Amino acid sequence: MNQTEPVPNKTKSNQHCNLAGPRLRHTGEASRWMVAPGIQNVALRILVSAFSFVAAVIVVTDKQTKHIYVASIQTTITTKAKFGDMPAFVYMAVTMFVASLYGLITMLASIVVASKPDSIKRLRLHLVLWDAV
């Protein structure tokens, strides 16, 4: 059985494109679709901020009207529910707004890290730690 030795990455252009494992060489085709990790990070943070803000706005502005028929007195009672009626919805709306604000702040920090990747290693570490919290 013939085993193949891993092909070492000798050029700098090969180092960022080794997606399929150590046995494949860079052909130039995959690099066309690759995006810098800093741009991916910023794009994901923009999406997180936008979706959490939209979710919070939907929770806050949503109202529900319920018509309840009471058979004993032959009448219909109309009740309206808002997000402020239940503490769980208030908590969810506040956490969504906080998540949106956190996403915006970390997005700005990610833009700084993406523009100067070598000089701000401490900020990158802080982003990783705060994302874990």
Side-chain angles (χ1 to χ4, degrees), residues 21-84:
R23 290 190 174 100
L24 298 177
R25 287 197 180 267
H26 173 65
T27 62
E29 193 64 32
S31 65
R32 193 168 33 164
W33 300 103
M34 290 186 66
V35 180
I39 295 172
Q40 292 172 349
N41 190 6
V42 172
L44 287 175
R45 290 184 190 278
I46 289 171
L47 287 175
V48 166
S49 296
F51 287 144
S52 61
F53 182 75
V54 168
V57 168
I58 288 172
V59 168
V60 169
T61 59
D62 192 29
K63 295 177 186 168
Q64 184 177 4
T65 304
K66 185 77 173 175
H67 302 287
I68 303 170
Y69 179 73
V70 181
S72 61
I73 57 175
Q74 301 279 324
T75 187
T76 302
I77 299 172
T78 303
T79 60
K80 291 184 180 181
K82 297 179 186 175
F83 87 100

Side-chain angles (χ1 to χ4, degrees), residues 42 45 102-114 123 127:
V42 172
R45 290 184 190 278
Y102 173 75
L104 287 174
I105 292 170
T106 57
M107 178 196 58
L108 295 174
S110 293
I111 290 171
V112 170
V113 168
L123 181 59
L127 283 174

